[in-house]
Amino acid sequence: MAIILDGKTIAKKLEAELAAYSRIREIRLDVILVGDNLASATYVRNKHRAAERVGMQSVIHTLPVHTKSEEIEQLIEELNSNEEVDGILLQLPLPEQLNSEKLLDSIHPMKDVDVFHPENAGLAYLGRPRIWPCTPSGILRLLHEHEIDIVGKHAVVVGRSNIVGKPMAALLQHANATVTVCHRMTKRLQDFTRQADILVVAAGSPGLIGKDDIKPGAVVIDVGSEFVNGKLTGDVRFAEVEPIASAITPVPGGVGPLTIASLLSNTVRLASLRRGWAN
């Protein structure tokens, strides 16, 4: 039976570290939520609660689904200029009428807690990060805390999004894994996933990976989180894969809590850099 990689326990450990930071109550994270996406609203609520637990200031700006791009740009500019704001997060996905790339680029790089700004992303991919994106950072901490060796292992990442897939591949490379990236255009996906010592599935396709898609003894990280029939569901068919894998994350309770804890950690790191505080 696989080791269950419990993100909740490690997230609590990280939150305790953040709560002990002497300046935590001076730090403020602002989140912009546009529309009524159920998953997004849940994530934002969980982020707000986590910030409150560690003592960080948290402000949520909730905007209606038909909000114009110009209104969001104006709000971002106000937050960029506000010296009391240390982190800005624009919750994705955005409604169809909005240009996500343009809006994300308008967030000041020293307040870009998600690492979407080209300046921050470029530094990260070069191995000189201010911060790493939240989910990949959380996954690496999860692996380290469970003493799962990465060096020289074949890691396969399914998904190439800017928020998980691409930065996850880069971070694993910097950790000295050999990395293969698969995506929706990959032919014979199973040929690649069955080679993985470490399989990270971030495809946004519930139930994509089953028992025939993994190598026995593989470490399986499920980043999927879609609501199916009112239930949060991952990209991995957990009940099938758990008896075969050596370690696996559940959904919920695996990657999600560490993503949020890493977001708070990123906010603290950027606040320290921008304000000139000792790290």
Side-chain angles (χ1 to χ4, degrees):
M1 300 293 282
I3 296 169
I4 305 302
L5 302 176
D6 177 14
K8 289 182 179 179
T9 299
I10 301 169
K12 287 180 181 178
K13 181 178 178 180
L14 181 51
E15 284 186 10
E17 294 171 5
L18 294 171
Y21 181 57
S22 61
R23 293 183 178 268
I24 191 67
R25 296 191 180 279
E26 300 175 48
I27 297 172
R28 174 174 152 181
L29 171 66
D30 282 52
V31 179
I32 303 171
L33 175 63
V34 186
D36 51 8
N37 181 286
L38 177 60
S40 293
T42 300
Y43 298 151
V44 168
R45 183 169 61 250
N46 289 340
K47 291 166 185 173
H48 181 72
R49 289 173 177 171
E52 288 186 328
R53 283 196 300 271
V54 304
M56 181 184 295
Q57 300 174 55
S58 174
V59 178
I60 301 174
H61 304 267
T62 304
L63 304 175
V65 66
H66 296 300
T67 301
K68 295 181 180 179
S69 180
E70 293 78 13
E71 297 174 68
I72 302 174
E73 289 174 9
Q74 182 178 349
L75 174 58
I76 290 173
E77 182 53 41
E78 290 173 0
L79 298 178
N80 282 339
S81 302
N82 188 338
E83 288 300 313
E84 295 182 357
V85 175
D86 296 292
I88 303 170
L89 186 149
L90 180 61
Q91 181 65 45
L92 301 179
L94 293 175
E96 292 182 357
Q97 80 273 13
L98 299 173
N99 185 327
S100 300
E101 187 175 278
K102 181 181 179 183
L103 290 170
L104 291 168
D105 285 356
S106 71
I107 296 173
H108 193 286
M110 294 304 294
K111 299 188 179 186
D112 167 38
V113 290
D114 260 335
V115 197
F116 283 138
H117 193 282
E119 181 179 314
N120 286 336
L123 287 170
Y125 296 143
L126 289 171
R128 296 153 45 196
R130 289 189 177 113
I131 52 174
W132 280 103
C134 305
T135 298
S137 178
I139 290 171
L140 205 69
R141 175 134 186 180
L142 186 70
L143 296 173
H144 285 325
E145 290 280 347
H146 283 88
E147 299 182 343
I148 294 171
D149 189 23
I150 300 171
V151 177
K153 297 297 179 66
H154 185 193
V156 175
V157 179
V158 182
R160 55 178 174 180
S161 70
N162 291 335
I163 192 168
V164 180
K166 290 177 183 176
M168 187 75 250
L171 186 50
L172 285 166
Q173 284 182 318
H174 287 301
N176 294 313
T178 299
V179 182
T180 298
V181 178
C182 301
H183 46 79
R184 69 181 62 191
M185 303 302 291
T186 298
K187 299 182 186 299
R188 299 184 300 276
L189 175 64
Q190 188 182 82
D191 291 351
F192 297 96
T193 59
R194 285 187 60 84
Q195 296 179 39
D197 300 310
I198 300 170
L199 179 63
V200 181
V201 191
S205 180
L208 175 68
I209 300 296
K211 62 181 181 180
D212 296 328
D213 301 309
I214 71 161
K215 178 171 72 174
V219 175
V220 180
I221 307 296
D222 188 355
V223 188
S225 56
E226 300 286 337
F227 279 97
V228 178
N229 298 323
K231 181 181 178 181
L232 196 61
T233 305
D235 289 347
V236 176
R237 299 196 290 276
F238 183 91
E240 285 185 27
V241 173
E242 189 264 340
I244 302 169
S246 63
I248 188 171
T249 57
V251 176
V255 173
L258 273 170
T259 295
I260 295 173
S262 297
L263 167 69
L264 303 182
S265 181
N266 281 355
T267 307
V268 170
R269 171 66 176 163
L270 288 183
S272 299
L273 288 172
R274 187 177 63 86
R275 296 180 184 237
W277 295 338
N279 295 317

